[in-house]
Amino acid sequence: MTNLTQVCEAYLRTVNAWDTRIDTHPDDAGVRAAKYTAGVLRSGLLSPQPGGGAGDFLAAQAAGKGYSTVSNLYAIEGDSTPAGEQGSCGYEVTTSVLAGDGKKKAARDLDVITTLSAHRQPSGAWLITNEESD
């Protein structure tokens, strides 16, 4: 938790990995990822909204115990910047939806480019936030 890059990567891998074999709601991955967050972002992850990212989740569930996984996590060069008590990390993330047998279930992978903001806590741990004041 004291390495900004490792916290960013753990958060992205966790928040993008749901599994219908154990999850009952598409936002369960967000609840698991909340441990890497603070402030308003943490509150939002721990209070999932109806619907959420239900499309792929429900399709995979109907197809027989599907899950998602981060198949590519590429740090955008020069975009990991710990600076005192604040930092940020930039990534290109590819999430794949698979069936329980490991075969591809989605027509396409989901590619997202994201920049995460983080704040160093008094304990030295980095936590992902979505506001400068968190």
Side-chain angles (χ1 to χ4, degrees):
M1 295 293 287
T2 59
N3 181 298
L4 174 60
T5 300
Q6 290 175 351
V7 171
C8 288
E9 291 180 5
Y11 169 77
L12 288 169
R13 289 187 188 283
T14 305
V15 80
N16 287 295
W18 44 256
D19 186 340
T20 66
R21 296 169 290 189
I22 57 172
D23 294 341
T24 58
H25 190 277
D27 290 333
D28 286 351
V31 172
R32 285 191 295 276
K35 69 181 176 183
Y36 301 109
T37 66
V40 175
L41 178 58
R42 181 178 177 82
S43 297
L45 289 171
L46 293 174
S47 302
Q49 299 301 309
D56 284 339
F57 179 87
L58 295 175
Q61 191 174 42
K65 307 301 180 188
Y67 62 99
S68 69
T69 185
V70 173
S71 54
N72 178 46
L73 185 60
Y74 175 74
I76 299 171
E77 191 172 336
D79 210 12
S80 177
T81 55
E85 303 306 309
Q86 297 184 29
S88 66
C89 292
Y91 288 91
E92 177 181 343
V93 183
T94 304
T95 303
S96 298
V97 179
L98 305 168
D101 60 6
K103 294 183 180 172
K104 178 97 50 154
K105 261 337 242 188
R108 64 179 179 80
D109 293 333
L110 176 62
D111 289 307
V112 176
I113 294 177
T114 188
T115 299
L116 303 173
S117 296
H119 284 67
R120 189 187 316 260
Q121 306 302 301
S123 67
W126 286 98
L127 294 177
I128 308 300
T129 64
N130 60 351
E131 294 183 7
E132 288 186 21
S133 61
D134 280 348

